Amino acid sequence: MGDLKLCVAGMNHKTAPVEIREKFALKDEKLEGAILELNSLPSVDECMILSTCNRVEFYFVTRNDNPFLSVKTFLSKLSGLSEDELNKYLYFKSQEEAVRHGFRVASSLDSMVIGEPQIIGQFKDAFAKAKEMGTAGVVINRFCETALKVSKRVRTETGIARNAVSISFAAVELAKKIFGYLSDKNVAIIGAGEMAELAVKHLITSGVNKVFVVNRTLEKAEKLAKEFGGKAFKLEEIESVLTMADIVISSTGAPGYVITKEMIEKVESKRHGRPLFLIDIAVPRDIDPAIDKIENVYLFDIDNLKEVVEANLEERKRAAKEAEGIIEGCVHRFLHWLKEHEVAPLIAELKQKAERIRKEELAKRLSKMNLTEEQKEQVDYLTQIIINKLLHTPITTFRQKAPDEKAYIKVFREIFGLTKE
């Protein structure tokens, strides 16, 4: 029997195309069945499956010296792909590599978009499912709890999630920079583009005051306004909306400008100097770029937002380097714990043996001695102290040395007459 190991076999968006990943799509009963089947393999002691759109990973604990042999057969059966075919897409990692990989995944360093938050919830769900199915033992529990703590440290101690990396969220971040707070701001959405809708949803989450929806077809505007709890307007009423809005997001399919410089100049006096933030996500553009020269008007088109996103991505890459340092320290601490965990049963066995001998010998001697109850208690206490002091040094030395030097385990067993492996 080999050393206790944490292993992972998996594939992700970097190693396998979607048509292969979807063969491993595991949800509900299929996921539960796969967890139980993996856990039933003779070489697997504990396991957990992480299944998302971009990755499927099978974490397991084993003492087998060829940990991936039976797991690969299991994965072949699960996917319907031959083992040779699977070899093109799967990665296999053991011990230090597996622990480091798991911590990087939970911290979103291995995600398609570095710093994205969804993976934390997905990792928690996978851990919860393993606990529910009874396949998470001491090692998987410790591994997942540590991975989630590492993830929290990475997000709080680095700037990995500080800056927006989507066009829609970048627009909201810019609005916050311009206005400081959004609770008394009105937002108008012109057209019904997907990115514009997403930006409005982010703005609503940020607590904007009112939402206006402007569309060439009033019926469509009313439908969208109902979704956002806002008010609908026809495109012909756009000047009226421009007097009330603080943030305007435009995403129509119009061939020409929907908002012109003349319109803004016309409503300027009614706005009484209030800043106006315009976001033009349409291609071709909806908003006349000449508007940007008007005082108190801030115009950003999709290229401007892409520049913000790219700059933010660079920031996240810099933060990721800091995160790798945090992860590295946690990997070594976890591996040390795993090695200590492996020798813990031997230490417990020695203590139990010493206590059994102490009690047996004490009972024999005390029965032949004419002592009071108080004197018996003192003798009992004295023998406990002697045993604890005698075992302290060998146990401390064993706990420190054995995780790194396996010879200590054999010597420890032989010296104290403990059970064989």
Side-chain angles (χ1 to χ4, degrees), residues 186-190 210-214 225 230-233 241 244-245:
N186 300 327
V187 58
I189 173 173
I190 302 171
K210 292 178 183 174
V211 176
F212 309 127
V213 180
V214 183
K231 188 175 179 182
F233 294 86
V241 172
M244 298 184 286

Side-chain angles (χ1 to χ4, degrees), residues 94-112:
S94 176
Q95 266 323 51
E96 185 171 341
E97 277 195 335
V99 176
R100 182 179 295 110
H101 177 79
F103 289 179
R104 292 185 82 254
V105 168
S107 302
S108 78
L109 295 191
D110 200 53
S111 296
M112 188 178 285

Side-chain angles (χ1 to χ4, degrees), residues 9 166 239 250 254 347 360 366:
S166 71
E239 288 186 13
S250 191
I347 294 172
E360 286 173 357
L366 288 180

Side-chain angles (χ1 to χ4, degrees), residues 9 24 58 71-80 86 90 92:
F24 287 93
F58 302 82
V71 171
K72 197 190 292 183
T73 304
F74 157 74
L75 294 177
S76 174
K77 183 182 166 190
L78 185 68
S79 64
L86 280 175
L90 283 173
F92 300 96

Side-chain angles (χ1 to χ4, degrees), residues 4-9 34-49 57-64 67 71 74 126-127 130-131 133-145 334 337-338 341-342:
L4 193 66
K5 291 181 280 288
L6 177 78
C7 302
V8 59
I35 293 173
L36 292 177
E37 193 171 345
L38 175 60
N39 200 58
S40 70
L41 297 178
S43 60
V44 173
D45 293 342
E46 306 174 30
C47 70
M48 177 189 86
I49 298 177
E57 295 183 334
F58 302 82
Y59 291 88
F60 59 97
V61 178
T62 181
R63 288 183 181 275
N64 197 296
V71 171
F74 157 74
F127 179 31
K131 287 200 287 189
M133 303 301 293
T135 62
V138 175
V139 178
I140 288 289
N141 268 288
R142 180 76 173 221
F143 165 69
C144 290
E145 286 167 0
F334 178 82
W337 171 84
L338 190 59
H341 171 70
E342 196 170 12

Side-chain angles (χ1 to χ4, degrees), residues 289-345:
I291 285 174
D292 198 34
K293 294 177 181 173
I294 299 174
E295 193 176 355
N296 275 338
V297 176
Y298 304 89
L299 172 63
F300 288 84
D301 63 23
I302 195 157
D303 282 351
N304 299 139
L305 293 175
K306 279 180 181 173
E307 287 172 11
V308 172
V309 167
E310 284 167 7
N312 289 348
L313 279 172
E314 286 303 314
E315 283 295 322
R316 287 197 177 196
K317 286 177 185 173
R318 279 193 281 276
K321 289 181 182 175
E322 293 177 45
E324 298 284 6
I326 294 172
I327 287 172
E328 209 53 34
C330 295
V331 167
H332 290 296
R333 280 194 288 279
F334 178 82
L335 290 173
H336 188 76
W337 171 84
L338 190 59
K339 288 175 180 175
E340 279 194 341
H341 171 70
E342 196 170 12
V343 301

Side-chain angles (χ1 to χ4, degrees), residues 176-227:
K176 285 180 179 175
K177 284 181 182 175
I178 290 171
F179 294 110
Y181 55 91
L182 304 177
S183 57
D184 63 344
K185 300 296 180 282
N186 300 327
V187 58
I189 173 173
I190 302 171
E194 187 180 345
M195 277 195 290
E197 279 191 49
L198 201 53
V200 172
K201 285 177 182 173
H202 285 316
L203 285 164
I204 290 172
T205 304
S206 298
V208 292
N209 185 31
K210 292 178 183 174
V211 176
F212 309 127
V213 180
V214 183
N215 201 285
R216 193 174 300 281
T217 308
L218 184 59
E219 189 180 351
K220 286 184 180 176
E222 287 173 338
K223 188 178 175 183
L224 204 56
K226 189 178 179 183
E227 183 183 336

